[in-house]
Amino acid sequence: MRAIRHPVIPAPVRFDGNRGEFTFRSGTMIAYTNTDVAPIVVRFCLEVTRRTGLRILPMAGNPGSNEPSVRIDLANGGELEALPAPLGLSPTGDGAPDERHSLTIDEHQVAVRAAEPIGVARGLTTLIQLLAAKSSTKTGEVSLPGARILDAPRYAWRGLSLDLARTFFTVDEVRRVIDLLALYKLNVLHLHLTDDQSWRLPVGRSAESSNSDVAFYSAEDLRGLAAYAEDRFVTIVPEVDTPGHASALVRMRPELNSGRNLVELELLPGQKYVTAWLDPELPATFKVIEEVLAGVAAIFRGPYIHIGGDEPRRIPSDLYSSYVQRVRGLVRSVGKRPLGWQESARAGLGPDDVIQYWRSEIALPPSLLPEVRAQSEANVALSRGDVETAVAASVPVIVSPKSHCYLDVPYAEPSADPGQAERQSRVGQRVYSPKTVAESFDWEPAEALGHGRAAHVSGVEAAIWSETIADFDDLCFLLLPRLAGVAHKAWSDPQIAAWTDHRDRLARHGRLWARDGLTYFRTSAVDWL
């Protein structure tokens, strides 16, 4: 066996060369004996047909011994036992599902082996990437060189936070994001559904706002997305972001205006920003929030509700703490586990709490107002205290350092396509200095909380904020190619791939994105194929 170059992202634990090659043709059978994997196999066949034009066929049972085929085997033991269990927090709430799998390609067959259906899905996803990355041919067949692949994830929680509050995306567009997550073996879609700009939830609305022209999702929409995601082994984590970022809710529910909870800010010169915080001393506050959380819990089957808690601007610290503590209790009362941005650590932490770290140091542009720069530096200093609190309490921490996981940071290098210059100048938050794709890739999740704190890192999550995003093409432009890099960091062993290896793999993924109609940043640092 020999290690070989390949296009698979995230990079597998092992990818060795093997003798021969296997040729896929229309009519190639995908054979399985366990009916639990039937939906996975059917979806794989449809995906291969969509991407290659080959009509491969699912087959319940065993093919003839000499018939070239893909064979699915659900079994424990062997080489899979040597692969490590994932680190950190499971998004399904119980023990992490077993995603370990092997994929063997030779001249006679392709064999996918895994202990659970989710492992089969991961192995077939690798096979989809191998097939889709091949150059188009007109021979009605696709040949893959022999290989032996062993793989398992590094972290159990691997996700993307998607801001739906500032820019509305249709249900079909969110489904396309879920498909993208599944393609890169990400398993959490964290939906940021509320903010100052809008309230996308169907619950908590006044009668007047339910008939307004501001778009929001129905309960049926959200249940459908959750089911679509679950079928692809992605868990949706809904976020109700309070007590700050609550202007939209206060506009809808005037009884939440206490007369002291509206705030006006200026983050960039001439750009005024109005926000609000929910007042825990107002009787109406928890009546509304209890209604909201009960409604969210009824829509989403997953075990977590994200309570937000970030950027509690000008809310007195004692009121902030009492609010967060009360909301955590309400989340638990509806049978869910609370997860909050790192600021929520300031309300104290119990053993069942989870926080999400985001306030890392990041380069700021010279144009930033001095008072905004000073506030940013003060926030980073406070962030260190949040981390200390989390470490002392030994609670799980999902790491989303904005220096490397915030995908709204502008791109620094030019595009290989001059036609992208306008979009590149328009999208991305100008409160951050631009970064190259290589710089965004250059980090290690185990070091995100500081040296010697790797044991507290319980997952990795990218985040995309939509202030500068006008449509789905803008969204994809900021997600790609960097989302694939975050997926690699969350799944792969840190010793597996340097930037140069990842860059070479990315070069073959542009073809996948283009065929899917996804606009991506054609960084000049990658020799796109």
Side-chain angles (χ1 to χ4, degrees):
M1 293 287 187
R2 68 193 189 285
I4 62 172
R5 295 166 68 88
H6 62 81
V8 180
I9 299 174
V13 172
R14 285 188 62 181
F15 194 122
D16 297 322
N18 204 354
R19 290 174 296 183
E21 66 178 20
F22 184 88
T23 300
F24 284 81
R25 300 179 176 89
S26 288
T28 296
M29 295 291 184
I30 316 299
Y32 61 93
T33 56
N34 189 310
T35 56
D36 290 344
V37 304
I40 300 167
V41 172
V42 169
R43 189 158 48 245
F44 170 75
C45 292
L46 294 172
E47 187 72 356
V48 172
T49 299
R50 186 177 73 82
R51 291 186 177 278
T52 68
L54 302 178
R55 292 187 68 253
I56 63 173
L57 304 172
M59 175 186 176
N62 292 308
S65 58
N66 296 321
E67 185 177 349
S69 61
V70 178
R71 305 186 187 208
I72 310 298
D73 181 21
L74 273 184
N76 284 304
E79 291 178 296
L80 297 181
E81 291 297 321
L83 294 169
L87 302 170
L89 191 68
S90 169
T92 58
D94 43 18
D98 194 341
E99 299 177 81
R100 295 175 296 179
H101 61 273
S102 66
L103 178 63
T104 304
I105 304 171
D106 62 30
E107 64 268 31
H108 304 297
Q109 69 172 7
V110 175
V112 179
R113 187 179 188 207
E116 297 181 12
I118 189 172
V120 171
R122 301 305 185 211
L124 291 177
T125 296
T126 294
L127 195 53
I128 286 170
Q129 287 195 17
L130 291 171
L131 289 165
K134 294 286 286 187
S135 298
S136 298
T137 66
K138 297 182 180 179
T139 62
E141 60 184 41
V142 178
S143 294
L144 297 180
R148 174 68 175 163
I149 302 168
L150 279 172
D151 206 6
R154 183 182 183 191
Y155 290 105
W157 185 296
R158 309 176 303 276
L160 170 70
S161 174
L162 174 61
D163 178 8
L164 300 176
R166 295 180 177 91
T167 301
F168 183 86
F169 298 105
T170 67
V171 169
D172 284 343
E173 287 169 340
V174 179
R175 283 197 191 106
R176 294 178 73 185
V177 173
I178 293 169
D179 291 339
L180 192 60
L181 299 188
L183 182 64
Y184 291 105
K185 304 184 176 84
L186 295 164
N187 62 357
V188 173
L189 179 58
H190 166 179
L191 293 182
H192 186 77
L193 290 157
T194 73
D195 213 296
D196 289 311
Q197 290 79 359
S198 65
W199 183 269
R200 304 296 189 192
L201 287 167
V203 292
R205 314 187 70 84
S206 63
E208 294 78 11
S209 68
S210 296
N211 297 318
S212 74
D213 59 358
V214 177
F216 65 95
Y217 301 98
S218 70
E220 183 181 1
D221 290 335
L222 296 173
R223 287 193 186 97
L225 283 173
Y228 186 89
E230 187 176 346
D231 283 347
R232 289 149 183 80
F233 300 99
V234 174
T235 298
I236 289 186
V237 176
E239 179 183 351
V240 182
D241 193 6
T242 61
H245 292 278
S247 290
L249 182 59
V250 173
R251 286 195 300 271
M252 286 193 307
R253 305 291 292 260
E255 69 268 30
L256 298 179
N257 185 347
S258 65
R260 62 178 180 177
N261 59 342
L262 302 183
V263 178
E264 185 175 275
L265 305 166
E266 185 175 15
L267 298 182
L268 291 173
Q271 294 185 16
K272 295 293 178 67
Y273 177 69
V274 176
T275 186
W277 48 271
L278 297 185
D279 194 332
E281 295 186 338
L282 201 63
T285 295
F286 290 111
K287 179 181 178 182
V288 171
I289 292 302
E290 187 170 5
E291 168 198 335
V292 168
L293 294 174
V296 169
I299 291 170
F300 295 98
R301 299 199 329 171
Y304 297 92
I305 291 179
H306 201 300
I307 65 170
D310 62 311
E311 298 180 321
R313 294 183 172 112
R314 299 185 190 169
I315 176 172
S317 58
D318 59 328
L319 296 184
Y320 176 80
S321 294
S322 69
Y323 180 91
V324 169
Q325 290 166 7
R326 179 82 177 270
V327 166
R328 285 175 181 156
L330 291 175
V331 169
R332 292 188 176 98
S333 74
V334 295
K336 305 293 185 179
R337 185 175 181 181
L339 162 66
W341 294 107
Q342 67 177 72
E343 291 92 330
S344 62
R346 299 169 199 173
L349 292 169
D352 195 44
D353 292 321
V354 183
I355 71 163
Q356 186 167 0
Y357 166 73
W358 67 281
R359 275 199 182 275
S360 61
E361 293 187 27
I362 189 170
L364 304 175
S367 60
L368 212 59
L369 291 171
E371 57 269 32
V372 176
R373 181 180 298 275
Q375 184 60 59
S376 177
E377 292 168 354
N379 287 335
V380 170
L382 280 173
S383 169
R384 299 188 187 102
D386 299 335
V387 171
E388 295 293 339
T389 299
V391 168
S394 295
V395 300
V397 182
I398 307 302
V399 296
S400 303
K402 63 181 178 180
S403 53
H404 295 90
C405 287
Y406 271 33
L407 305 185
D408 58 338
V409 173
Y411 294 110
E413 72 269 43
S415 170
D417 177 3
Q420 292 189 331
E422 184 277 332
R423 178 171 271 123
Q424 184 176 356
S425 69
R426 177 172 53 79
V427 300
Q429 288 274 35
R430 264 49 198 180
V431 293
Y432 307 128
S433 291
K435 297 188 77 164
T436 66
V437 175
E439 288 169 337
S440 295
F441 184 79
D442 185 22
W443 72 293
E444 166 48 40
E447 298 295 323
L449 301 178
H451 182 69
R453 293 171 170 172
H456 298 279
V457 176
S458 296
V460 176
E461 191 173 292
I464 182 72
W465 305 102
S466 300
E467 287 94 336
T468 66
I469 293 174
D471 54 28
F472 189 70
D473 287 341
D474 284 353
L475 172 67
C476 294
F477 184 82
L478 288 175
L479 288 178
L480 300 171
R482 292 180 293 194
L483 182 64
V486 177
H488 171 86
K489 295 294 182 178
W491 178 281
S492 301
D493 185 279
Q495 304 304 317
I496 285 178
W499 160 248
T500 52
D501 301 314
H502 182 70
R503 179 191 62 198
D504 292 345
R505 295 186 179 104
L506 278 178
R508 286 184 270 183
H509 283 248
R511 184 183 292 132
L512 278 71
W513 304 329
R515 288 174 182 164
D516 285 346
L518 302 176
T519 300
Y520 65 98
F521 175 58
R522 293 178 57 85
T523 168
S524 55
V526 173
D527 294 326
W528 301 100
L529 299 178

